[in-house]
Amino acid sequence: MKFFKNYSLMLLPLLVLPFTSVLSLEEAYNRYDFPPEFVFGSGTSAYQVEGAADEDGRTPSIWDVFAHAGHGAAGDVACDQYHKYKEDVKLMKDIGLEAYRFSISWSRLLPSGRGPVNPKGLQYYNNLIDELITHGIDPHVTLHHFDLPQALQDEYGGWLSRESVRDFTAYADTCFKEFGDRVLHWTTLNEANVFALGGYDQGITPPGRCSPPFGLINCTKGNSSIEPYIAVHNMLLAHASVTNLYKKHYKYKQHGSVGISIYTYGTVPLTNSVEDKQATDRLNDFLIGWILHPLVFGDYPKTMRTRVGSRLPTFTADEAKQVKGAFDFFGVINYMAVYVKDNSSSQTQDLHDYNTDMALTMTLFGNTTFGSEHANTPWSLQQVLLYIKETYDNPPIYIAENGQTTPQTSSLEDTTRVRFLSSHIEAVLDSIRKGSNVKGYFQWSLMDLFELFRGYELSYGLYYVDFKDPYLKRYPKLSAHWYSSFLMGTLHLQCSHSVL
Ligand SMILES: *[C@@H]1O[C@H](CO)[C@@H](O)[C@H](O)[C@H]1NC(C)=O
Ligand SMILES: *[C@@H]1O[C@H](CO)[C@@H](O)[C@H](O)[C@H]1NC(C)=O
Ligand SMILES: *[C@@H]1O[C@H](CO)[C@@H](O)[C@H](O)[C@H]1NC(C)=O
Ligand SMILES: *[C@@H]1O[C@H](CO)[C@@H](O)[C@H](O)[C@H]1NC(C)=O
């Protein structure tokens, strides 16, 4: 395209110079300082890259419906990975990725949410998995990335109903049966904590439910006081059911593992006061403990029981037994850190939600010029890894997402992202040396894609995608070159993929 041709001339000297200088930083570490079985990859999710939203039998998910209800852009086409998966696997191979984290679109595989399998959906995921394996890239698969089939939302209210446990288990069973001979790493639910908060308290993510005065949008339905807790409760039961199914029927022959991922913040008490320190502990309990405490110890953290009271569902003795220990690993998602200030005054309100239950105020840490996930705080990731090690008996962890947001521009010279990745990977190495049982690192994201907040305006990608180009051409950024040289110890990307 004309724009690129002209632009590339200007870009040429720029691209070469900073790369040399970035390389000459001479990292104090390299890939071989990590254990050989430690895995480095990059990630995406189905609705954010696949496109082909109503092709070949796929039906809408709650994310499709939410996006089309006027909450910004949608993923109808996205990066069109559904048609370009071979090209994209080649891009991964060019970087030297050892693994690819992607998700299966439940409503592509099972268009009614349960019942008959869609043969074309099945074929697509078989093709993608085979293509990855042919190129030596390990598939790490997520089953639910904010995209419950709308059919189940309509039928019984989705995650608010216990029926979701049965249907999610049947869906996972299909995936284990069809793909489990080649897929060894399964994540049941992506960011169950943030999914529940955004979708059922604030209303800003699918399915967009909330109630006044808590929502950040004008929701037509919902109850912010209780629904986030109910949704997480059912998701925990569903996760446990799937994990126990795998243990019982698949693990002995497939030898894989099953986990769940959570969104986390690094935390700093705003002051040295006892109140702010206690508020910081509460934040960790409410955000991390909400999911991990039941899975490790069989119930929610005490702070949550005390503060949420009867609005927090209870596990029967049998359910507690099912849930406790139902994981092989945890997926940790970390981008940023927050200051935490006690706000006990919110406790005196009549109506309560998650935020007034926690009774604290968060402010973003560091430079957030380009969005909340821009500041480079590698200690934040390390803090979370070591917190989980100490608090939850050092479980195996995969860093499911970590990366930096910048505006989506055609500039391929993302030096801040290179610094971000380089410093965070160093923090991971340091965490391993401090005893964290972390087993892999997945940069977010492989390419610029459809983001939940702000659609196509923000970028996390190693590859720039020209969304104005009908062919959606991909171009490696400096960060792709850097990641590649880190992984392979050599400048490897071919110029044919770049604008040069
Ligand atoms: C919600 O609706 C009210 C009344 O129509 C309007 O004043 C307000 O700006 C809306 N809030 C949001 C976040 O859209
Ligand atoms: C939310 O549920 C609680 C508990 O059932 C109830 O007391 C409250 O009135 C409900 N709020 C709304 C907005 O429906
Ligand atoms: C404290 O919580 C109350 C009630 O939710 C809220 O109105 C107030 O803005 C909060 N204060 C701060 C500093 O966030
Ligand atoms: C914040 O980050 C932007 C983009 O990386 C940079 O241009 C700006 O100078 C930074 N601001 C501060 C105060 O460091």
Side-chain angles (χ1 to χ4, degrees):
M1 306 216 16
K2 193 153 180 276
F3 172 67
F4 261 111
K5 260 194 182 142
N6 294 340
Y7 198 68
S8 65
L9 293 174
M10 287 161 35
L11 206 61
L12 180 61
L14 288 177
L15 190 63
V16 174
L17 278 176
F19 190 36
T20 323
S21 63
V22 165
L23 271 187
S24 68
L25 278 175
E26 302 233 347
E27 317 298 347
Y29 63 92
N30 65 53
R31 199 266 171 264
Y32 302 101
D33 291 320
F34 287 81
E37 66 279 8
F38 190 94
V39 64
F40 281 98
S42 180
T44 63
S45 88
Y47 188 61
Q48 296 179 272
V49 294
E50 281 180 5
D54 56 7
E55 262 179 67
D56 290 348
R58 182 184 180 276
T59 63
S61 73
I62 55 173
W63 200 343
D64 296 63
V65 171
F66 181 79
H68 283 280
H71 302 292
D76 297 4
V77 179
C79 304
D80 199 25
Q81 187 164 90
Y82 187 72
H83 297 112
K84 291 179 180 293
Y85 69 92
K86 284 193 178 175
E87 181 188 328
D88 287 347
V89 172
K90 172 82 168 61
L91 299 180
M92 297 172 213
K93 184 71 188 166
D94 286 348
I95 294 182
L97 287 192
E98 298 159 8
Y100 179 46
R101 172 179 179 256
F102 64 96
S103 75
I104 290 176
S105 162
W106 183 347
S107 62
R108 193 184 291 289
L109 194 64
L110 303 174
S112 307
R114 64 164 172 272
V117 174
N118 171 16
K120 290 197 169 149
L122 184 63
Q123 187 65 52
Y124 172 67
Y125 292 111
N126 271 324
N127 289 347
L128 173 60
I129 291 165
D130 287 345
E131 191 73 9
L132 288 166
I133 290 191
T134 304
H135 288 84
I137 299 166
D138 201 14
H140 283 233
V141 175
T142 301
L143 295 174
H144 178 275
H145 198 115
F146 285 53
D147 58 351
L148 183 90
Q150 182 66 33
L152 302 183
Q153 188 73 29
D154 293 341
E155 187 184 330
Y156 53 67
W159 291 113
L160 292 177
S161 165
R162 277 296 164 99
E163 295 183 59
S164 59
V165 176
R166 174 202 63 207
D167 288 345
F168 187 63
T169 307
Y171 160 54
D173 195 15
T174 303
C175 292
F176 297 153
K177 192 165 72 210
E178 299 290 349
F179 312 124
D181 56 332
R182 289 152 293 158
V183 174
L184 295 178
H185 297 89
W186 297 96
T187 297
T188 53
L189 296 148
N190 181 63
E191 295 181 355
N193 51 358
V194 161
F195 174 73
L197 287 178
Y200 298 89
D201 182 358
Q202 304 180 330
I204 52 175
T205 66
R209 296 174 65 88
C210 61
S211 62
F214 301 111
L216 298 182
I217 62 168
N218 284 322
C219 299
T220 52
K221 289 176 192 152
N223 186 335
S224 298
S225 299
I226 53 170
E227 288 187 2
Y229 298 115
I230 296 170
V232 160
H233 197 72
N234 288 329
M235 286 191 277
L236 283 168
L237 295 175
H239 162 82
S241 166
V242 165
T243 306
N244 293 326
L245 170 83
Y246 190 83
K247 263 187 198 142
K248 200 163 164 202
H249 293 296
Y250 294 97
K251 201 175 171 101
Y252 73 94
K253 54 184 175 192
Q254 297 183 348
H255 312 293
S257 55
V258 183
I260 186 169
S261 85
I262 51 165
Y263 191 90
T264 66
Y265 298 119
T267 53
V268 191
L270 187 67
T271 72
N272 275 327
S273 70
V274 175
E275 289 78 12
D276 287 352
K277 286 183 184 159
Q278 286 173 345
T280 306
D281 291 342
R282 279 203 303 280
L283 175 58
N284 282 325
D285 275 343
F286 270 76
L287 197 67
I288 296 176
W290 195 10
I291 311 295
L292 264 54
H293 211 280
L295 292 173
V296 175
F297 301 120
D299 196 8
Y300 296 110
K302 258 206 192 86
T303 7
M304 290 190 77
R305 278 260 161 258
T306 312
R307 293 192 166 236
V308 188
S310 64
R311 286 176 292 118
L312 189 65
T314 48
F315 296 105
T316 65
D318 186 52
E319 285 165 355
K321 227 170 82 189
Q322 298 279 320
V323 166
K324 187 176 170 181
F327 66 92
D328 294 308
F329 64 86
F330 293 122
V332 164
I333 294 177
N334 182 263
Y335 290 91
M336 57 187 269
V338 291
Y339 288 110
V340 186
K341 179 167 174 40
D342 176 66
N343 182 8
S344 291
S345 69
S346 63
Q347 284 270 291
T348 60
Q349 287 197 330
D350 291 342
L351 286 171
H352 285 284
D353 78 334
Y354 181 88
N355 285 304
T356 66
D357 291 336
M358 275 201 302
L360 53 86
T361 307
M362 289 186 267
T363 31
L364 303 179
F365 187 100
N367 183 342
T368 54
T369 307
F370 291 149
S372 57
E373 296 177 343
H374 181 74
N376 188 349
T377 54
W379 56 265
S380 155
L381 178 56
Q382 172 159 131
Q383 184 194 61
V384 169
L385 292 175
L386 298 180
Y387 175 83
I388 294 175
K389 165 182 179 280
E390 294 301 323
T391 316
Y392 294 108
D393 202 16
N394 208 10
I397 288 175
Y398 286 90
I399 295 158
E401 288 179 27
N402 175 245
Q404 187 188 48
T405 158
T406 58
Q408 213 264 4
T409 71
S410 57
S411 167
L412 303 180
E413 201 198 318
D414 57 344
T415 48
T416 63
R417 182 169 290 108
V418 170
R419 271 189 223 109
F420 185 104
L421 297 178
S422 156
S423 56
H424 279 77
I425 290 173
E426 186 172 9
V428 175
L429 180 59
D430 197 44
S431 307
I432 294 174
R433 290 177 175 157
K434 289 179 169 140
S436 165
N437 194 6
V438 54
K439 297 187 160 314
Y441 175 88
F442 287 81
Q443 181 269 351
W444 182 270
S445 51
L446 174 67
M447 58 183 66
D448 294 348
L449 41 70
F450 170 68
E451 279 292 344
L452 185 51
F453 303 111
R454 300 183 53 190
Y456 300 96
E457 290 168 40
L458 288 180
S459 140
Y460 293 80
L462 298 172
Y463 284 89
Y464 167 70
V465 178
D466 183 3
F467 290 108
K468 294 192 193 79
D469 172 4
Y471 298 102
L472 298 166
K473 198 160 170 357
R474 289 87 154 114
Y475 302 86
K477 301 180 194 174
L478 190 62
S479 55
H481 291 281
W482 179 84
Y483 203 28
S484 172
S485 76
F486 166 70
L487 290 175
M488 304 198 280
T490 158
L491 239 176
H492 183 81
L493 293 192
Q494 300 301 310
C495 284
S496 60
H497 296 297
S498 84
V499 294
L500 298 181

